[in-house]
């Protein structure tokens, strides 16, 4: 409250301003709620705060991996476009754009599943202008598979986190990825149809260059509603992107793809 | 009426001071504060003052546009108009919606490599709500909110670029290819490129979509974790889009916004601005352009018309030197985020009359009704301080510039077709010795002239209890000499919180803008040439003025006015005249050359301005028919070189020297103005209003700090 006080010099009552609750704005609600943060924010305006990142934390790892996913989106989208660059048919373009959109969406879905939260509303992107009915009931899974132990350790066959998921489509089955690799790799399964007990996965071929094919990949029914992909990445397999076509022997047609990316 | 009233002396009548008065005289205080406003000259308004000149034309201190995020300022004016309760049948500007109209069309000028000027236009979308609405969806804005909105903006921009590509020429048909082999080859290549571009954009769109979702779900504390993600998008976007966007101006401009947005997001994460206790202040040592470059923006984006417009709107040139653009990065970031992401209704709101008529006349009327006393023609000369144990202001010394013959209050407003307005000159017939004063050529708003000599000294405890110092920072060293000399903080403040002189001119034209060669509608444009980089089409005011033959276009131009030397002392009586002549020459030169870029039809074959286009407000009254550039003398121009009229800058490294209205170093003094540490430390109406609210809080603890919208902001 405002107070009226005696002036010491001439004894005339003089009022003083009240004491305010605070003398400045709250710039950070987090800081206001936690006045003793663990992180070192520094004082100098030009000093960049040095906040350590815990790379063992699963969320941290997921976010970091997200950066690589972005690179991959761009790469794959461009590659698809390049493959279709010579064709000028509208249908080819529709397929291409739909594929690009799908690829990106699938990777986002898989990456996002690391956080265990619902997907955001589907972004129409270019897909909204290039609807691809063939993909309407498709489902897919992908992940960055990182060995649970350190990279010099024994080979691991356990499915990486996020490898098992329920597809966004209620009609879709679950997919289980069993990747055996010493190195972190990215695997995408893009399957447009279900039903067969045993799919046939052709050899994974390098997207470019002369790297050897990867053989022995299988995709088979697992559980009552899901499928399981088994993929063994040789230790000496050159870095790069590899693709394989999935065939459904029951209908004798291609029903999907597997994409493997081994980073440099 | 409160039995033990507290006397508050408010020095100055600008936005900040009158906001404080409005707050202190609210009914909630039950008349506890007895407020007197001491104002030099004949009108309120400070840097927002305006007056009515010949033909009732509006003559402004400069160009004033209200922005859709001025929540506190709009709330003040809405409450003011509500209390004013004008009868719409009697007054054409009766409500705040009459007073302010939305204006979303804005532009930035850019010069191409061949020297041609092009306008980058944007009609910004209407946002939900209205500025000053009482119920805000979010009581405060967080960095996370802004990052989500920035990601959404990126996505929109990307999709816009994609749309542009997708609607390009379709590949040639096979039949065409047979008959036009060369064309077929070109189309094939074009199709290939287009597919690649779209593929790239598809990936980027998804990445940005994910980014927005990540920010929603990941705590801002994880800012450092998000950095690689944003960097991946930035790098890819920069590499992949560079060639795409160089294809046409529109894509390049969209990319500029993307580039700056990405750099901003990257910088927010790198500097941990989401969680830093000092918020954006932590980067205030950087210049905004420097900070954006540091965080990956391209030089081309930093040099773009978009960013120059930001600087132009804030006169952000140290000493008015166009070669020294300087704007504290943190405050610039706060300004941009508030401007683009928190506006309500329209991006800009244009006043429908002079700022004096729209803002200060209503405030005067309401405050007068509440019992506030206004002492016009009182120029503050000195603030006397008692340096005892309880430091406080003990005296306020004024130079009384004029008095009324009977001692009755001066009545400052005139009626212009039913609207209370401020005149451009004092109402001489109310003043004692008016003939003598006019003969002496007294300019009561001019700093550079000696005092009139009629001294009045107010004493603490007798004439006032509290003081609100609501003058411009430029005047502080002159009237607070004692404080500045003895108090290091005040000394640092006046040394570091710098100001810049401004220049402005207005022209009334006999042709409309389309006839002048401007093809679009009414617009506000920045980023144009020196000496006048900003133009606003104010033709809507023609109906408000009182011409015999209404002008068909009205244009306002403004810019910083480079300082020729340090602010001289008061004895330099020619200073105002000298600078007015500079502005006149600048304006004539501008019209005779540069205006052709905006209004090609306003110039003759040799590129010189058609002076006969200027409407003369005196025509028909006297045999005056000025020709050639002399006709410009019938228009209005101003050099704002008085210390208190100078615009407050937000220079890098200077904001920490500002003092808050809440500061209690002098226990009966608080300060108010856009130069104070008021939470939004930039020169604008909103800052001034926030500062006034803080000053009122400092005295009465009302309004509460959390009621000052945007005060608690990163």
């Amino acid at each position: 409250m405002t107070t009226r006080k005696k002036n010491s010099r001439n004894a005339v009552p003089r009022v003083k301003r009240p004491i305010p609750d605070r003398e400045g704005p709250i710039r950070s609600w987090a800081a206001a709620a936690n006045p003793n943060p663990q992180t070192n924010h520094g004082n100098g305006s030009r000093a960049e705060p040095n906040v350590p990142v815990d790379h063992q934390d699963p969320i941290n790892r997921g976010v970091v991996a997200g950066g690589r996913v972005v690179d991959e989106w761009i790469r794959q989208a461009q590659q698809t476009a390049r493959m279709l660059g010579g064709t000028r048919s509208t249908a080819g373009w529709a397929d291409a754009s739909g594929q690009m959109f799908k690829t990106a969406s699938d990777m986002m879905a898989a990456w996002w599943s690391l956080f265990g939260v619902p997907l955001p509303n589907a972004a129409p992107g270019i897909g909204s202008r290039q609807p691809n009915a063939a993909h309407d009931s498709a489902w897919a899974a992908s992940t960055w598979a990182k060995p649970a132990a350190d990279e010099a350790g024994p080979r691991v066959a356990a499915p990486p986190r996020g490898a098992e998921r329920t597809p966004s489509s209620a009609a879709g089955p679950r997919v289980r990825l069993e990747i055996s690799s010493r190195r972190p790799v990215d695997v995408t399964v893009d399957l447009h149809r279900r039903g067969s007990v045993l799919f046939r996965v052709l050899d994974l071929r390098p997207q470019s260059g002369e790297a050897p094919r990867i053989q022995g990949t299988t995709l088979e029914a697992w559980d009552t509603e899901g499928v399981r992909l088994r993929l063994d990445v040789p230790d000496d397999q050159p870095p790069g992107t590899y693709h394989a076509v999935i065939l459904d022997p029951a209908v004798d047609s291609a029903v999907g793809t597997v994409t493997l990316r081994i980073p440099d | 009426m409160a039995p033990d009233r507290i006397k508050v002396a408010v020095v100055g009548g600008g936005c900040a001071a009158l906001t404080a008065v409005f707050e202190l005289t609210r009914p909630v205080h039950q008349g506890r504060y007895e407020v007197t406003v001491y104002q030099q000259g004949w009108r309120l308004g400070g840097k927002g003052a305006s007056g009515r000149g010949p033909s009732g034309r509006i003559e402004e201190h400069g160009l004033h546009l209200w922005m859709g995020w001025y929540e506190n300022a709009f709330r003040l004016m809405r409450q003011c108009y509500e209390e004013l309760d004008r009868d719409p049948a009697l007054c054409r500007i009766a409500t705040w919606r009459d007073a302010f109209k939305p204006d979303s069309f804005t532009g930035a000028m850019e010069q191409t490599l061949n020297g041609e000027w092009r306008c980058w236009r944007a009609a910004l979308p209407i946002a939900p709500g209205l500025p000053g609405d009482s119920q805000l969806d979010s009581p405060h804005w967080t960095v996370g909110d802004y990052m989500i909105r920035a990601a959404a903006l990126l996505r929109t921009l990307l999709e816009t670029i994609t749309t542009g590509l997708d609607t390009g020429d379709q590949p040639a048909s096979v039949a065409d290819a047979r008959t036009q082999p060369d064309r077929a080859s070109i189309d094939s290549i074009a199709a290939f490129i287009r597919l690649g571009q779209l593929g790239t954009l598809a990936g980027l769109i998804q990445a940005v979509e994910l980014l927005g979702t990540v920010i929603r779900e990941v705590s801002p504390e994880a800012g450092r974790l998000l950095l690689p993600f944003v960097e991946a998008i930035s790098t890819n976007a920069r590499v992949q889009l560079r060639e795409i966007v160089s294809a046409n101006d529109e894509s390049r401009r969209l990319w500029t916004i993307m580039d700056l947005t990405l750099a901003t997001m990257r910088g927010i994460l790198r500097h941990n601005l989401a969680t830093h206790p000092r918020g954006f202040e932590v980067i205030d040592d950087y210049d905004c352009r420097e900070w954006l470059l540091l965080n990956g923006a391209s030089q081309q984006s930093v040099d773009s018309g978009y960013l120059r417009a930001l600087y132009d709107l804030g006169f952000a040139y140290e000493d008015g030197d166009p070669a020294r653009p300087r704007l504290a990065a943190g405050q610039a970031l706060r300004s941009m985020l508030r401007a683009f992401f928190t506006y309500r209704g329209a991006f800009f709101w244009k006043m429908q009359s002079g700022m004096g008529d729209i803002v200060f006349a209503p405030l005067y009327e309401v405050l007068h009704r509440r019992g506030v006393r206004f002492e016009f023609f009182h120029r503050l000369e000195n603030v006397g301080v008692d340096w005892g144990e309880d430091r406080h202001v003990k005296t306020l010394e004024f130079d009384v510039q004029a008095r009324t013959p009977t001692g009755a209050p001066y009545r400052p407003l005139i009626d212009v077709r039913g609207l209370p307005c401020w005149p451009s000159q004092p109402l001489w017939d109310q003043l004692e010795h008016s003939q003598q004063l006019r003969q002496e050529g007294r300019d009561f708003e001019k700093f550079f002239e000696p005092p009139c000599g009629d001294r009045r000294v107010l004493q603490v405890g007798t004439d006032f209890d509290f003081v609100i110092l609501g003058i411009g920072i430029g005047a502080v060293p002159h009237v607070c000499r004692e404080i500045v000399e003895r108090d290091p903080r005040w000394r640092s403040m006046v040394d570091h919180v710098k100001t810049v002189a401004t220049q402005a001119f207005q022209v009334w034209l006999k042709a409309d803008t389309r006839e002048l060669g401007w093809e679009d509608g009414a617009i506000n444009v920045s980023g144009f040439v020196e000496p006048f980089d900003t133009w606003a089409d104010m033709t809507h005011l023609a109906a408000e003025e009182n011409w015999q033959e209404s002008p068909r276009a009205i244009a306002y131009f403004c810019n910083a006015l480079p300082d020729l030397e340090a602010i001289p002392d008061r004895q330099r009586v020619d200073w105002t005249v000298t600078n007015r002549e500079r502005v006149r020459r600048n304006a004539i030169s501008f019209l005779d050359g540069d205006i052709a870029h905006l209004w090609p039809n306003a110039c003759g074959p040799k590129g010189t301005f058609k002076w006969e286009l200027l409407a003369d407000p005196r025509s028909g009254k006297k045999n005056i028919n000025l020709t050639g550039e002399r006709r410009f003398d019938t228009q209005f121009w101003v050099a704002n070189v008085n210390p208190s009229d100078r615009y407050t800058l937000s220079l890098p490294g200077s904001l920490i020297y500002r003092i808050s209205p809440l500061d209690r170093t002098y226990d009966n003094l608080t300060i108010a103005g856009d130069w104070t540490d008021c939470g939004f430390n930039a020169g604008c109406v909103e800052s001034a209003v926030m500062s006034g609210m803080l000053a009122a809080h400092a005295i009465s603890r009302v309004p509460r700090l959390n009621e000052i919208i945007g005060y608690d902001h990163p």
Side-chain angles (χ1 to χ4, degrees), chain B residues 222-381:
Chain B
R224 296 287 287 185
L225 295 171
L226 291 173
L227 183 57
F229 194 80
V230 172
E231 288 188 334
I233 294 175
S234 299
T235 304
N236 274 293
R238 193 160 291 116
V239 170
Q240 306 297 340
L241 293 180
R242 186 178 298 143
E243 291 190 6
I244 298 176
V245 300
S246 64
N248 63 68
D249 281 348
E250 191 58 31
S251 295
R252 182 173 50 76
R253 288 165 180 168
L254 293 172
W255 164 245
T256 297
I257 303 290
M258 283 188 62
D259 190 27
L260 295 173
T261 305
L262 284 164
T264 299
M265 296 176 84
R266 191 165 180 259
I268 285 173
L269 296 172
R270 284 185 70 202
H271 293 262
N272 221 23
L273 301 187
T275 55
H276 201 290
R278 291 176 57 201
F280 296 167
E281 287 175 2
V282 78
I283 57 169
D284 272 335
D285 275 1
Y286 293 100
D287 172 60
C288 177
R289 293 153 56 104
E290 174 193 11
W291 185 76
L292 288 167
L293 285 170
L294 186 72
N295 288 294
S298 70
Q299 188 68 50
Q300 189 179 24
S301 298
V302 166
D303 291 339
S304 66
Y306 168 78
L307 210 58
R308 275 191 298 113
L310 173 72
Y311 279 69
D312 290 350
L313 286 172
F315 301 107
Y317 299 93
E318 190 165 11
D319 298 329
D321 182 352
R324 283 194 289 161
R326 306 255 289 143
L327 181 56
Q331 180 54 45
L333 184 57
R334 194 177 292 126
S335 300
M336 286 190 287
L337 294 173
R338 286 295 311 272
F340 285 100
F341 295 139
T342 72
Y343 73 85
R344 295 202 278 179
F347 189 77
F348 284 123
W349 291 76
K350 266 184 175 165
M351 289 176 282
Q352 299 303 297
S353 185
M355 183 154 173
D357 313 331
I358 293 296
V359 174
F360 297 104
L363 281 171
Y364 169 79
E365 289 189 298
V366 164
L367 296 176
H368 189 262
R369 277 187 212 167
R370 289 182 179 181
V372 174
R373 291 176 57 210
F374 289 87
E375 295 278 19
F376 290 95
F377 302 103
H378 277 64
R379 182 161 81 175
L380 182 66
E381 294 292 325

Side-chain angles (χ1 to χ4, degrees), chain A residues 36-50:
Chain A
N36 299 306
Q38 297 300 309
T39 54
N40 172 25
H41 291 295
N43 293 317
S45 293
R46 284 181 175 269
E48 285 188 33
N50 181 22

Side-chain angles (χ1 to χ4, degrees), chain B residues 19 29 33 45 52 68 80 95 106-107 113-114 215 313 404 484 502 560 654:
Chain B
T19 300
H29 293 297
Y33 300 100
R52 293 303 188 112
C80 177
T95 69
T106 188
L113 291 176
N114 61 9
I215 296 165
L313 286 172
T404 58
V484 170
T502 60
S654 74

Side-chain angles (χ1 to χ4, degrees), chain B residues 7 12 55 72 124 230 237 244 259 293 296 304 306 439 451 534 547 677:
Chain B
K7 294 178 179 174
S55 292
N72 297 291
L124 294 156
V230 172
I244 298 176
D259 190 27
L293 285 170
S304 66
Y306 168 78
Q439 283 174 348
T534 299
W547 296 69
D677 183 13

Side-chain angles (χ1 to χ4, degrees), chain A residues 24-98:
Chain A
I26 295 171
R27 295 296 190 195
S28 166
W29 291 97
N34 178 19
N36 299 306
Q38 297 300 309
T39 54
N40 172 25
H41 291 295
N43 293 317
S45 293
R46 284 181 175 269
E48 285 188 33
N50 181 22
V51 181
V53 174
D54 177 7
H55 290 282
Q56 297 308 309
D57 180 83
I59 292 181
N60 294 3
R61 287 205 312 271
V63 176
V64 171
R68 297 200 299 261
V69 172
V70 175
D71 290 333
E72 182 62 15
W73 283 344
I74 306 302
R75 204 187 321 273
Q76 292 208 13
Q78 285 192 308
Q79 174 64 16
T80 309
R82 227 174 268 128
M83 287 162 55
L84 289 159
T87 70
R88 288 178 289 177
S89 72
T90 305
W93 161 240
D95 287 346
S97 59

Side-chain angles (χ1 to χ4, degrees), chain B residues 669-683:
Chain B
L669 169 68
T670 181
I671 54 178
D674 63 8
W675 48 275
T676 64
D677 183 13
C678 62
F680 193 89
N681 295 331

